[in-house]
Amino acid sequence: MAASASVMRHYAHHSAEAQFVAREYSSSEVVEDDYSYQSKARIQGVVKKKMTEKYVREESMIRGPKYLVRLRSHTVFENTPIKLFCTVEGYPTPLVKWYKDGVTLDISSGKYLVEDNVGIHTLEIPKCSTSDTALYTAVAGNIHGQVSTQASIIVKKFREEEESSVYAWLPYQAPMLPEIKYTKINITFVKKFEAVFAVEGESATLEATMSVKPNLANLQPEAQWFRDDYRLSDSKWVKIESGRGFSKLTLPHLNKDDEGLYTLRMVTKGGVAEHSTFVSVADGPPPIPKAPGAPMDIKIHDANRDYVIVSWKPPNTTTEGPILGYFIDRCEVGTENWTQCNDSPCKVCKYPVVGLFEGHSYYFRVRTVNAQGISKPSRISDPIAALDPTEFDRLHAKKLGGKLDVVSYHDDLEAEGKPPGAPSGIRAVEVDRTYVVLKWTGPEYHSKAPLWYYLEKSAAGSDSWQRVSTQVPVRSPRYAVFDLAEGQQYQFRVLAANMYGTSPACTPCEPVETLKLKGVPSAPGQVIATRETDTSVLIQWAAPKEPNNLIGYYIDVCVKSTKDWLSANHKPHKSTKFVVQGLTTGETYSFRVQAINEIGLSDESQESSPLSVKAALTTPSEPYDIALLSCDGQSMVLNWKRPAHSGGSKVKDYYVDKRRSGATTWREVNIAPVKERLYKVETLTEGAVYEFQIYGASLAGLGTASAASNAFSCETWTMAQPGPAYDLTFCEVRDDSLVVEWQKPVYSGAGPITGYHVDYAKKGSDVWTTSNETAVSSRFHKVTGLEAGSSYVFRVRAANEEGAGAPSMASDPIIAKALPGSQEVSCVVDEKSGDIVLSFQSCQIKDGSTFTWKRNYKEITEFSSSGIVVMTEGSSSSLIFKSASKEDFGTYSVVVSNTDGVSSSHHISAEELEKMLALSYEIRHPVIPLKTELAYKILERGRMRFWLQAEAISAAVTYKFFANNKELSGAAPNQQSHDVATGVIEFILDHFTEDSEGTFTCQVTDGGGKAQSSLVLIGDAFKAALAEADYQRREYIRVKEGPHFSEFLSVQVGDDCSVSLVCKVSNLKKESAFHWFRGDQEIVPAVAADLTSGVCKLTLDLFSKKSTGVYKATISDDRGKDMSQIDISGEVFGDVITRLCHLAGSTAAELSIHCTAVGIQLQCVMKYYTSEMNIQWLHSAAKLSHGEKTVIGGTAAMATMEVIEPTERDKGLYSIQITDAEKTHTRTLDLSGDVFDKAFAEFQRLKAEAYAEKNRGKVVGGLPDVVTIMEKKTLSLTCTVCGDPKPHVSWLKSGVEVEPDDQYIVSLDSGKFASLTIKGVSMVDSGRYSMIVQNKYGGESVDIVVSVYKHGEKIPEAKPALTPKTMIPPKGPIEIPAPKAVAPSPSPAPAAAKSPTPPKMAPKSPVPARGVKSPTPTKRK
């Protein structure tokens, strides 16, 4: 009881200090609080009837603290830990302070541990004592208010009976009863959501499924979603759906505001399970190219009766031009009429919007402006009402008879009519560049007359006060003064007023200096990139030295060796750390950072060092499933499974610890690391029981220890059956089968192992099924008959003559499901090489993946000795048998490392292998069939021709001729050749002598095929052949005593690109005659051949495809005749063209522009051009071909390419490539910018002139130059005219227009036939007449000289005018009418233009023949 009294005294001592946190626990104050609550409720009811809500929806920027989970009281024993939990939300994030019995808790003492985990606050007392019995309070507060929650902790001595407590009166009696034991709920995420990369306007869904154990309906965890640690709830932009074992968040219409780190927290009484990922939202397509992105995070501040202040965050401009400013739009709720608030772009990301109507609600949005245009609008703000923020404060609730009866404004209370008192305490609560938000304390006021305020401003240090004009009366003691100058000092004062007068001015505030535009932040400091995962990188940087009201950062990323920078985030990031996600594994990137404030973006930081994306190394996880494989009483052989997670590097080393069962101290077994997962622990005590634990180690360090093994007794194994197999591995997992591999048991029992049995069971089942009733001798087995999608575990039992031994440790669960896209190994015989090839295409491939080939599931290591070659490229690998044998049958398998278990196999049986070997031999040893075996024919001069004919040969055929096993040379004077078309192969032996007797052989090779044929010339057959050869030799010498060719025909290309046929003749005389032929037609050159020099030359003018053919030259006289011929086609023609390409290309001039009436023509002047030359025109990188749009051709001196009717798409870099045997000669011209504009203008001019020339007025014919006529006769001048539109015709005499009358008759029939008729001509009618034919495209003037003579006089000789026709230009600019739309009709492709024929020019307008005199009228007798 004494202790209780002491506690009561202690509580009373602090009661006054704790009133603000303990009011709800005082019996008298509880009633008052209840009344206060009812007052507030009644007031709010009245407000709802009198005015619209200030906020149509809850404003996320303005929210007071609220406890979601309150503290709960506990009773604990001495020396035990206790932890109090509470969860609070609000914006800005509330700060929580802890109190003990109303006194601030001393956290620095170390006795109390306080944590804040994003809204979840805990107070932990690790070791309670009786002095900790107290009332604990958590007070949460922000700028919008504060709330509290309380709980009592009663600490009892151990085994102490229940005793009274000073807190027995508290309303939390039930929790103070014996301690509640909460059910531990374990949550494991089964399916996690991945990172999302989307574009504005799209939707995204994050969904997770989890297993909850125990899964109790009344104890389900609470799913909480957060974005950047801000709690999300259902809204227009966020949809949340949760149930048993799943939770889903949907973002139906993405905006950059939605970008951030999303976290799902599954909250239970025992803790929190969470998973996070990043959602990236890029800018959508801009309204116009290069327009900026939209702003984001639109916030409304300081809302009042006629103004609000709008703020936002600027977009990133990685690829767009700099931002010039922003436009702010508003829209009244209930309408769709958006009004722009500012006439010129606002430079900073904050803008005061004035001129609002009191009581009206508005939406706001912002648009970005740059030099290219205006962005799409931002996401609209939440609606906000223009209302007096003190509207609630002016309400008063009056209690009558203990109940609430009247709610009214302070203004409605009765009082004497007098002016209000002076306000006080005026001060600036927000200062910007052009405005200041002021706040003051209003006077005590209880009049029913309305109260308002006047604001006055003055430059600091001046006594000149100026009243601030406002749109509406200021009723709130908080108001913003706008239109101030930057960097100036002001003082403000306020006056209160009502209908009875104005109060004195309050004391002016301290001088307030408006802010100056400091500019953007300085560039961030050094950027450091470190590896995170195989698709992400952690970026860290130093904050800018001059932050200037920093808002956040934008991070850019660039692939190494490129200059294409892309945005990694599209919403400002506040921290100096950021994880860039969605990168390509193995790619190398650089990074840079820009700081941002309300004015704009800073300069870019320096680029980070390039970093290749790979997963960061971590220590491996623990090994597991330690198994005992053998024991001899002094040692044990252990095996274990490798860590489930290697940490990014191979686990190479293991360390083993041991301890006696029941002991707590582990002792090292091995100092040097163990490289294999099989280890013999020695020097053990027989009969003792041991436990073991194992560590794995990699480059990243030592991993965590495994769980302790089962207790193993060190007793000698004596059983007759084998010990357990170990190291079960799996490959070739398919929907209904898989292959199991294992290692041979260490302990074999009483005899050798004869086979193995493989058992399997579904996961969670104890029912085992034996896959093979008959034991298999190999250490692998294919298990079939599995259910697709089911999970199985496997074990292996070794057997000997004594029976099956103990099973191996069960494997990890394996799901019978094939990887998507899985393929099998294929086996074929290569059709070209005859190799037997096993090929595999992997459905997965990663950086560092390797292909391992096995035979009967043993890795193949001997390649060169076995004639096996492995070729791997990308995701494909082939095992090639270069020299397969009959012993190479078996099962061949392949495993791809660093994948999700990609593997496959193929079994080659002995019968299948025998068939493939036979096919391989046929492919490797093919026989070329021969039509004719080797034969001979004797030619002139006694030469011997050996030849044979194959069924078919290719251009790649090779062959050799042998005489008595000695290879014959095909060099001069001998000759050898072949004809692919006929399959004939021949060898001409120049000297066939007595030594040539024997066997002649020809060996032919074509691809993989071979052929051989022999001819035996011995005895009589050889003598007959030799005699015939001698005869032909003598006859040749006799005949060749006459004229002959000392040098046969050849083609010669001169440096000027001239092509000539040249030969040389000898043994001539005066009567010798030389002739040229092409085919059978003789060619007579302009200059006869000069035989004195013996050199004869025929020039082939304008060499082209037309020049091909067989050319012959003959020389003859009475002594005989000789002939030489050359076939200019095929390779000979190609060699000439190649030489011409070299000469033309090396001397080609630069490209020039020549405009025509149909397009823009590019010309390249060169020594010679023909269409057969290897010339290619290109536009940028695209090859051009002859067609309707581009006409390719040229003349003998130039190559041309004309762009018909050019457009903007035809701009760019044009080039011509002239390729010879050694190099490609290129000439380029950039047809863009001013060059294109000038050329296009010239083309338009020529096109217009041509159109005008075609359609102008013309005289087609019929008018003479001179007319002589006798007096009193009738003269008729008639002609045909044309033009479109129809021309106007006028007649002039001596420059004066002829006026039609009875004598002069002017007519124009059908718009085509014009005439001037003069009746009864007289001498005065002599002179020069002109007819003018003209329309809007111009025309021409034709002069006719008329000479009149009298009857009986000599007909005068009149001379025509010096310029009988004069062209008349168009009257104005030439306008070409748009072509009429006609249905397209197919037309044949234009024939390729052949050079050197120049392109045809447009036909000239017909010009009438001049100089024809009109017939002189005959004299009337």
Side-chain angles (χ1 to χ4, degrees), residues 810 1045 1343 1367:
F1045 288 91
D1343 293 341
M1367 306 301 295

Side-chain angles (χ1 to χ4, degrees), residues 187-210:
I187 300 176
T188 303
F189 284 101
V190 177
K191 177 184 175 183
K192 300 179 180 180
F193 42 85
E194 303 292 337
V196 175
F197 298 90
V199 176
E200 283 185 314
E202 297 177 353
S203 62
T205 299
L206 305 180
E207 184 174 6
T209 59
M210 65 287 299

